[in-house]
Amino acid sequence: MNNINHTYKIRPAGRHILTIGRDLIQNNYAAIVELVKNAYDADSNKVEINFSLKEKPKNISKLEQLSEKSLFITIKDYGHGMSRDTVINKWLVPSTNDKLERKLSPKGRVMQGRKGIGRYAASMLGSTLLLETVSTEAEKTVVFVDWLNFEKSEYLDDVEILVKSNTVDEKPCTSLTIEGGREYYEEWDKKQFDKLRFELKKLIPPIDKSINKDEQEFKIYLKISGFSSEWDIEEIITPYPIFQLYDYRISGEIHSNGTGFLEYSVQKAKNTVLEKINVKLNTPTNCGYLKFDIRVYDREAESIEQLISRGLKDEYGVYVGKLQARQILNISNGIGVYRNGFRIRPLGDPEFDWLKLNEQRVQNPSLRIGSNQVIGYVSIESEEQSNLIENSARDGLRENNAYRRLQEITKMVIAELENRRFSFRRKVGLHKPIRSIEHGLEKISSLNNLKDNVYSKLISSGMSVKATKEVITLINKEEDQRSRVVEDLCRAVAIYQGQATLGKIITVILHEGRRSLNYFRNEIPRINKFINSFYKTNEFKYIDKIIDISKKTMIHSKTLSDLFARLDPLAAGKRSTKKTIHLEQTISECFSIFSQQMKNNQISYEIRGDGVINAWKEDIMAIFTNLIDNSIYWLIEKNNDKMKINIDIMSENNKLRYVDIKDTGTGIQSFLIKNKDIFEPQFSTKPQGTGIGLSIAGEAAERNGLKLTALESNQGAYFRLINIGIEDE
């Protein structure tokens, strides 16, 4: 067969247009949103959306005439309209790059439609579309589209569309009238219209011009009629008023270079001070300039009551009830992502937890907030400036590095609020402090109050002193038994805390031991190979290789043995006895656990001084292992030129007075030091932190007559471990 070479053109199928409109647009609400955005791009100051269900006469036979209902959706704007040329060469051209190239409307609005497909969303809403548009030159163009023609036609260019134009005495505008029969109007009921209202309310910024103060006025009018008298609606779409009634708020901006500021405020208490927070990331944002306004709501019954009392009313101006208030929170919550004044769906939908807030809250409910507690937005720049790219299907942002960075920075901003909220709730008694387990056990074992009350009651009721003392003796025996049980439980708690510390640093342990294990796995099997080679050749070079492997195996074995020996106190299944501990040596052992990690990240340390203390070694190991682990984390996070941990041991007559632990990391915010929140169980400033490290360290210190405190420093974190016993002497 001879070679045949021809060129061909790609001819899209007729239904290609329907694929664009129906398959790439998520749902009916998204279709309406797309058409509203087109009105915005036309520089209109408003858009009118009118849903109506009307009777449409239809001849069934010569003898009778029945009527069938039809859905009519009209979307009208009062912008600059379109000329005949624009309609033919741009509006009728799928995926045109016109808006992408122009970027700005004639009046300077940043174009919302960038893909050139939004207008085909109309095919989801009805079977026909009537376009009527009047340009600024008073030219009126009318286009009628029957979507069935695209289904029937084999190729797209087989479909013929009539375009009519004439000169009129009318102001510029564009009107889309969509008509559909039963299969279309049955899609809409009260629940669906409520969902549409919700989508439109969340489409616009929560506060007028809060996202872009230079934004021109743009209002959305919605009218629904003919479906049911109960559903009839005629309103101007406005954001939910709950946004103004927050409990906690954090807002501000972070520039693309990673610097910026945030402001934190509280409305749950009077006379609270606005706190300003400077932001300096280690790197550029890599997702452009970001603007935040995030508002958080407590959901206890008392907090809901306060929310209502601050002015939460329904659309008729009546204060809502508790159930309704919770429902408003349920449908309003979410952190939306807005670009040029419009939300990018579904980011911000209540059911779309794009920041994984609920996952974090499950791990730490006292500190973290859930998605149903927050309403707010993040404003982002255009795709060219931020690299945050919208999916063609209008279902969010492409999950690239810029998107992951947006998630990371937004969660960092939320963490700033969470930390301050935790402190506030603890201060005013909304957060029930998680007391030391040992303190709680001691309270259970002590029956002093009971003995005093019993003694007084018995004496006052006429019982003899001797008989009363016998009763107290019985209570004392019960107290002694409880005390022994409590001692056993305290020992168990100490063991578990040591093991928890071990689990906390398991990644470090695996990393430290992996080099030796890899050596054993790779090199020891070679011994048999060299033995066989020696038997065959009697060449002593193979013996030399075996000796070399054996020597290195001994070195790696000692490395593992030493590592496990250092970890023994933390892994102990039985509590040891107190003994005299030289702190310099014990702290050095703790640092050696992290030796490879510190080497890889060029972190140095220095221990100055020494001192002895009578203590449980596993507790001292737990204290310094947790402190060193925290320092390493924040040193790596800050990643500055000088990464160092300094330990200063201060003694008197060789007895420990205190130990200062300092690093050159990010430091601790002053309000956290003042409120002592960092020692609370479940509190952590790490994004994925569990909040057990410093709590374990603090309790381990108390068991040994020590006190762990945090001090303010402008160079990094600063902890002091004080020997309370020597202070009392």
Side-chain angles (χ1 to χ4, degrees):
M1 181 178 178
N2 296 330
N3 291 332
I4 301 175
N5 297 318
H6 289 295
T7 60
Y8 295 90
K9 293 181 179 180
I10 295 175
R11 297 181 68 190
R15 69 180 314 276
H16 177 65
I17 287 293
L18 303 180
T19 300
I20 292 175
R22 296 174 184 173
D23 296 348
L24 292 185
I25 303 301
Q26 197 173 19
N27 50 41
N28 286 348
Y29 321 118
I32 296 291
V33 166
E34 288 299 317
L35 299 175
V36 169
K37 287 182 178 181
N38 285 346
Y40 176 86
D41 289 345
D43 282 329
S44 180
N45 63 354
K46 66 179 179 179
V47 61
E48 297 171 352
I49 307 168
N50 192 337
F51 279 77
S52 61
L53 190 60
K54 299 177 181 178
E55 301 289 342
K56 184 179 180 183
K58 181 178 180 182
N59 290 323
I60 303 299
S61 70
K62 295 180 180 180
L63 299 175
E64 60 179 341
Q65 187 182 58
L66 298 178
S67 61
E68 184 178 285
K69 293 180 179 179
S70 282
L71 168 69
F72 290 88
I73 305 173
T74 303
I75 299 174
K76 186 174 183 178
D77 71 64
Y78 299 87
H80 48 61
M82 291 182 286
S83 66
R84 178 185 176 88
D85 180 70
T86 300
V87 170
I88 294 172
N89 295 309
K90 293 176 182 177
W91 193 85
L92 286 175
V93 178
S95 305
T96 178
N97 63 354
D98 171 53
K99 291 184 179 181
L100 182 63
E101 290 182 345
R102 283 195 290 145
K103 294 185 176 61
L104 297 177
S105 71
K107 289 187 179 180
R109 286 182 176 174
V110 178
M111 292 289 192
Q112 297 298 308
R114 306 291 290 276
K115 311 294 184 184
I117 62 174
R119 53 194 171 275
Y120 299 109
S123 64
M124 291 186 67
L125 303 170
S127 56
T128 64
L129 168 66
L130 175 67
L131 166 70
E132 298 173 278
T133 182
V134 179
S135 70
T136 52
E137 289 78 24
E139 180 185 39
K140 183 173 185 177
T141 302
V142 179
V143 178
F144 180 78
V145 179
D146 186 338
W147 301 114
L148 184 61
N149 292 335
F150 293 92
E151 289 275 15
K152 293 178 177 178
S153 299
E154 185 175 0
Y155 294 107
L156 187 59
D157 55 10
D158 291 336
V159 180
E160 294 184 350
I161 296 175
L162 180 63
V163 179
K164 297 181 180 179
S165 297
N166 64 298
T167 303
V168 294
D169 185 17
E170 297 178 23
K171 292 183 179 180
C173 65
T174 297
S175 176
L176 297 174
T177 302
I178 302 162
E179 183 182 353
R182 180 185 296 272
E183 64 178 295
Y184 293 99
Y185 69 70
E186 284 186 344
E187 291 286 321
W188 297 95
D189 55 23
K190 187 178 187 304
K191 184 178 179 180
Q192 302 305 315
F193 282 124
D194 285 343
K195 177 68 173 172
L196 174 63
R197 292 176 68 233
F198 165 76
E199 290 291 342
L200 293 173
K201 281 177 178 289
K202 295 198 78 171
L203 174 64
I204 54 180
I207 300 177
D208 290 342
K209 300 186 179 180
S210 63
I211 293 179
N212 187 347
K213 292 181 179 178
D214 297 327
E215 200 64 58
Q216 301 160 25
E217 183 182 48
F218 183 71
K219 292 184 177 180
I220 301 174
Y221 293 81
L222 176 64
K223 183 177 180 180
I224 299 169
S225 61
F227 291 83
S228 167
S229 58
E230 296 178 0
W231 306 352
D232 284 355
I233 294 173
E234 190 166 357
E235 66 174 333
I236 300 175
I237 298 296
T238 56
Y240 287 104
I242 196 170
F243 196 69
Q244 307 286 357
L245 307 174
Y246 60 89
D247 290 331
Y248 317 90
R249 177 188 182 188
I250 194 160
S251 60
E253 58 188 34
I254 299 178
H255 299 278
S256 59
N257 63 4
T259 63
F261 72 92
L262 300 169
E263 291 182 341
Y264 170 77
S265 59
V266 180
Q267 283 193 160
K268 287 180 74 75
K270 296 179 180 179
N271 303 320
T272 55
V273 179
L274 184 72
E275 180 185 354
K276 295 192 175 182
I277 307 163
N278 289 321
V279 177
K280 188 175 182 181
L281 305 179
N282 295 330
T283 61
T285 65
N286 296 324
C287 55
Y289 167 84
L290 303 172
K291 187 172 182 180
F292 301 89
D293 195 339
I294 296 170
R295 309 185 182 203
V296 170
Y297 304 78
D298 289 332
R299 297 199 59 154
E300 303 97 342
E302 180 185 346
S303 297
I304 294 294
E305 288 176 359
Q306 289 182 1
L307 179 65
I308 295 168
S309 67
R310 289 202 297 271
L312 183 56
K313 302 177 182 179
D314 61 20
E315 52 201 34
Y316 305 106
V318 178
Y319 282 97
V320 303
K322 291 181 186 178
L323 179 60
Q324 192 177 356
R326 291 184 185 278
Q327 289 173 340
I328 291 173
L329 272 175
N330 290 341
I331 64 172
S332 305
N333 70 74
I335 297 179
V337 176
Y338 288 76
R339 174 175 274 150
N340 305 315
F342 284 95
R343 183 170 71 98
I344 299 172
R345 301 177 71 254
L347 306 179
D349 284 357
E351 66 276 7
F352 190 76
D353 185 16
W354 66 281
L355 292 169
K356 304 293 187 290
L357 297 180
N358 292 333
E359 288 182 14
Q360 292 184 170
R361 180 167 170 76
V362 167
Q363 296 174 4
N364 197 340
S366 296
L367 174 63
R368 303 301 177 195
I369 60 170
S371 64
N372 69 341
Q373 293 178 264
V374 59
I375 304 173
Y377 70 77
V378 185
S379 175
I380 63 176
E381 294 185 290
S382 66
E383 292 184 353
E384 294 80 7
Q385 293 169 299
S386 66
N387 201 32
L388 293 166
I389 300 168
E390 291 184 55
N391 293 326
S392 296
R394 296 296 199 270
D395 58 352
L397 293 169
R398 187 180 301 171
E399 294 188 10
N400 56 14
N401 288 332
Y403 177 74
R404 286 185 283 273
R405 185 65 169 152
L406 173 66
Q407 290 176 305
E408 179 184 330
I409 294 173
T410 304
K411 286 196 279 190
M412 180 211 75
V413 171
I414 292 172
E416 293 286 347
L417 181 145
E418 288 172 327
N419 294 340
R420 288 161 175 80
R421 172 180 174 267
F422 183 94
S423 294
F424 174 83
R425 286 172 59 83
R426 185 166 172 258
K427 187 186 299 182
V428 300
L430 290 172
H431 165 65
K432 188 176 180 180
I434 304 173
R435 297 188 179 277
S436 160
I437 294 173
E438 293 183 19
H439 286 171
L441 291 173
E442 287 170 6
K443 193 173 180 180
I444 291 172
S445 67
S446 176
L447 300 177
N448 288 333
N449 289 337
L450 176 64
K451 287 185 288 186
D452 291 341
N453 290 331
V454 168
Y455 189 89
S456 299
K457 291 284 185 183
L458 293 178
I459 293 295
S460 63
S461 64
M463 184 177 282
S464 68
V465 172
K466 182 181 178 182
T468 300
K469 286 184 177 180
E470 288 176 356
V471 172
I472 299 301
T473 300
L474 292 174
I475 296 176
N476 284 334
K477 288 181 180 179
E478 174 66 21
E479 187 176 41
D480 289 341
Q481 289 179 351
R482 288 192 180 196
S483 295
R484 285 192 291 272
V485 172
V486 165
E487 285 177 10
D488 291 340
L489 289 174
C490 287
R491 281 193 292 269
V493 167
I495 291 170
Y496 294 148
Q497 287 184 341
Q499 293 173 349
T501 299
L502 194 65
K504 187 168 173 280
I505 61 169
I506 191 65
T507 304
V508 176
I509 296 167
L510 291 174
H511 185 79
E512 293 290 328
R514 188 171 287 120
R515 287 181 304 143
S516 297
L517 293 174
N518 284 340
Y519 183 84
F520 297 152
R521 184 179 62 187
N522 296 327
E523 295 299 318
I524 290 178
R526 298 177 66 203
I527 292 177
N528 284 333
K529 176 185 174 183
F530 293 139
I531 290 174
N532 292 332
S533 297
F534 175 74
Y535 284 151
K536 290 178 181 177
T537 64
N538 284 327
E539 294 181 12
F540 279 89
K541 66 178 182 179
Y542 295 112
I543 298 297
D544 292 338
K545 289 182 179 181
I546 293 170
I547 292 171
D548 181 60
I549 292 174
S550 299
K551 287 180 178 178
K552 289 180 179 177
T553 299
M554 289 177 64
I555 293 170
H556 282 284
S557 296
K558 187 176 185 305
T559 299
L560 278 180
S561 178
D562 290 346
L563 174 63
F564 292 143
R566 293 193 298 270
L567 295 172
D568 272 345
L570 295 175
K574 185 178 179 181
R575 190 80 164 149
S576 66
T577 57
K578 277 188 175 182
K579 60 182 179 181
T580 299
I581 294 173
H582 288 270
L583 280 174
E584 191 277 335
Q585 179 184 345
T586 303
I587 296 172
S588 294
E589 291 176 11
C590 292
F591 271 113
S592 65
I593 295 172
F594 302 92
S595 58
Q596 190 60 41
Q597 187 183 17
M598 293 179 71
K599 181 180 178 181
N600 293 344
N601 291 282
Q602 298 181 320
I603 299 172
S604 62
Y605 76 92
E606 183 178 1
I607 304 174
R608 295 186 286 260
D610 195 5
V612 298
I613 184 173
N614 189 42
W616 283 290
K617 184 173 182 179
E618 50 263 50
D619 284 339
I620 302 302
M621 290 280 290
I623 293 168
F624 286 96
T625 299
N626 278 292
L627 291 174
I628 293 168
D629 181 52
N630 272 355
S631 287
I632 291 172
Y633 177 89
W634 292 113
L635 284 166
I636 294 172
E637 185 73 13
K638 187 174 181 181
N639 193 27
N640 59 11
D641 295 333
K642 188 178 181 182
M643 302 174 71
K644 189 174 182 181
I645 304 172
N646 288 313
I647 308 285
D648 290 296
I649 305 171
M650 307 301 294
S651 301
E652 187 176 288
N653 298 326
N654 204 35
K655 286 186 177 181
L656 174 70
R657 286 196 65 84
Y658 63 85
V659 183
D660 280 346
I661 307 100
K662 301 179 182 178
D663 63 45
T664 58
T666 57
I668 306 170
Q669 292 170 307
S670 58
F671 80 94
L672 296 177
I673 294 173
K674 182 179 179 181
N675 296 333
K676 299 180 181 179
D677 294 324
I678 55 174
F679 295 106
E680 277 281 305
Q682 298 185 354
F683 181 85
S684 176
T685 54
K686 297 177 183 176
Q688 302 298 327
T690 57
I692 64 170
L694 289 178
S695 175
I696 287 174
E699 291 192 19
E702 286 184 23
R703 279 196 293 271
N704 293 273
L706 304 170
K707 183 180 179 182
L708 183 62
T709 61
L711 304 175
E712 294 209 28
S713 170
N714 55 9
Q715 294 182 338
Y718 182 4
F719 290 95
R720 175 168 286 181
L721 185 67
I722 305 167
N723 186 350
I724 300 173
I726 204 168
E727 280 190 341
D728 295 337
E729 291 178 2

